[in-house]
Amino acid sequence: MPGLVQGKNTVVLGVASERSIAWAIARRLAQEGANLALTYQNERLEKNVRPLAETIPGTLVLPCDVSDDGQIESLVQSLQAQWDRVDLLVHSVAFAKKEELSGRYVDTSRDGFHLAMDVSVFSLVALCKALEPLMGAGSSVVTLTYIGSERVVPNYNVMGVAKAALEASVRYLASDLGPQGIRVNAVSAGPINTFAARAIAGFTTMLQRVREVAPLRRNTEAEEVADTALFLLSDLARGVTGEVIYVDSGYHAMGMV
Ligand code: NAD
Ligand code: IMJ
């Protein structure tokens, strides 16, 4: 039986380790027949990404630091050399300086604000623009967000503001690219123990709180996020664009928590 994304040429940005949400999504897409290109941010992470990619035969591995226009352009050229088109894009990238992710949001530096917005938000815009000529009817883009965009979550600070801009970008990009049949959506995941989360003070307590109050009384698993990403990337979601879907055990529905 053909997979849900059989033969779809798919670019996945944001694999840093076995625990990365992007890796769970990549694995799931491969199970459903996708052809994959995984990107890595730098040579240090290339060492993590190559062995993972080798577990999925035929997977391309390419560099892309999203803060560098030249690297986005090189990525597009490398993809064009291998594939006649790009069907699916997974954007699972975020960064803020560590010192911006504690204390008060009001203390955010100009530099720190720009960096977080550049890597975590503008990168999606730049990738959509650069890949637009290779995408077309039936193409789908998915990015990852967090409820800290809508509510104040201690220490999330400038990342919360960046995620608000990312979610707004999903709507504007959906509007711009919709006429060509390209869909753009986001998955808003509950806390998951990845590189991007481990460093956070009080993260273990946050995971526990979710288990106590979320309707499903458990934490979010990367595999659950991957299944919803698969849905959004597949033709099952052909009528869905500009949307943000929570995969958080229902935590977002609660008040007085
Ligand atoms: P992760 O650390 O595994 O992934 C983050 C990725 O961003 C890494 O692969 C890193 O290399 C990449 N990145 C950072 N700066 C980059 C740059 N300049 N160029 C290219 N890549 C760059 O952590 P994760 O939890 O899998 O995060 C993936 C996405 O999921 C992020 O957008 C994050 O905000 C979002 N998210 C995470 C959680 C969570 O609790 N882990 C919850 C909701 C949303
Ligand atoms: C991150 C910071 C503060 C609170 C947080 C998080 N909570 C969760 C996260 C409650 C779930 C993880 N998350 C949703 C992110 O988007 C993380 C982004 C991130 C993480 C780091 C850590 C290491 C670093 N820079 C980072 N930049 C972005 O140096």
Side-chain angles (χ1 to χ4, degrees):
M1 209 168 66
L4 282 171
V5 288
Q6 193 68 43
K8 300 282 188 190
N9 296 332
T10 305
V11 190
V12 179
L13 292 96
V15 180
S17 79
E18 205 168 25
R19 293 203 185 202
S20 293
I21 295 170
W23 175 238
I25 295 172
R27 268 184 283 143
R28 191 71 186 87
L29 293 171
Q31 277 177 8
E32 295 293 330
N35 309 318
L36 295 179
L38 304 184
T39 70
Y40 56 88
Q41 183 188 348
N42 53 43
E43 288 86 64
R44 183 172 58 80
L45 293 175
E46 179 182 9
K47 292 190 177 67
N48 294 357
V49 175
R50 288 222 177 259
L52 294 175
E54 276 164 18
T55 66
I56 304 172
T59 299
L60 307 174
V61 180
L62 300 165
C64 187
D65 182 324
V66 297
S67 64
D68 182 342
D69 287 328
Q71 291 197 31
I72 291 177
E73 206 35 61
S74 301
L75 170 66
V76 172
Q77 288 189 357
S78 303
L79 291 170
Q80 214 158 7
Q82 301 278 340
W83 293 341
D84 59 335
R85 53 182 282 132
V86 168
D87 300 292
L88 311 177
L89 170 64
V90 177
H91 175 274
S92 186
V93 168
F95 188 77
K97 291 188 211 173
K98 203 170 171 132
E99 60 263 34
E100 309 288 4
L101 298 176
S102 65
R104 304 197 313 161
Y105 173 65
V106 72
D107 293 328
T108 304
S109 69
R110 190 180 294 271
D111 244 29
F113 187 93
H114 285 156
L115 180 64
M117 294 295 276
D118 187 34
V119 173
S120 315
V121 188
F122 183 73
S123 61
L124 178 68
V125 184
L127 285 160
C128 283
K129 186 181 169 87
L131 289 170
E132 187 180 1
L134 291 177
M135 296 194 293
S139 285
S140 176
V141 177
V142 164
T143 187
L144 274 299
T145 187
Y146 179 60
I147 196 172
S149 63
E150 296 180 80
R151 298 325 147 66
V152 174
V153 173
N155 302 323
Y156 202 55
N157 298 354
V158 72
M159 271 310 307
V161 173
K163 291 301 193 189
L166 181 72
E167 291 171 23
S169 294
V170 163
R171 294 184 282 273
Y172 278 90
L173 291 167
S175 170
D176 284 348
L177 305 180
Q180 289 113 267
I182 306 167
R183 298 181 295 103
V184 185
N185 294 289
V187 178
S188 186
I192 298 175
N193 202 352
T194 63
F195 272 174
R198 237 171 286 175
I200 303 337
F203 191 73
T204 311
T205 316
M206 261 177 253
L207 288 175
Q208 182 150 6
R209 191 90 198 107
V210 171
R211 289 198 295 275
E212 287 164 8
V213 305
L216 297 179
R217 299 287 192 276
R218 54 182 169 79
N219 287 120
T220 301
E221 291 173 0
E223 289 72 19
E224 298 173 334
V225 175
D227 279 341
T228 293
L230 166 66
F231 159 70
L232 288 170
L233 292 164
S234 79
D235 283 347
L236 288 175
R238 63 194 175 280
V240 182
T241 194
E243 183 61 295
V244 181
I245 301 185
Y246 284 102
V247 179
D248 69 343
S249 305
Y251 182 87
H252 70 279
M254 305 303 291
M256 304 278 289
V257 294

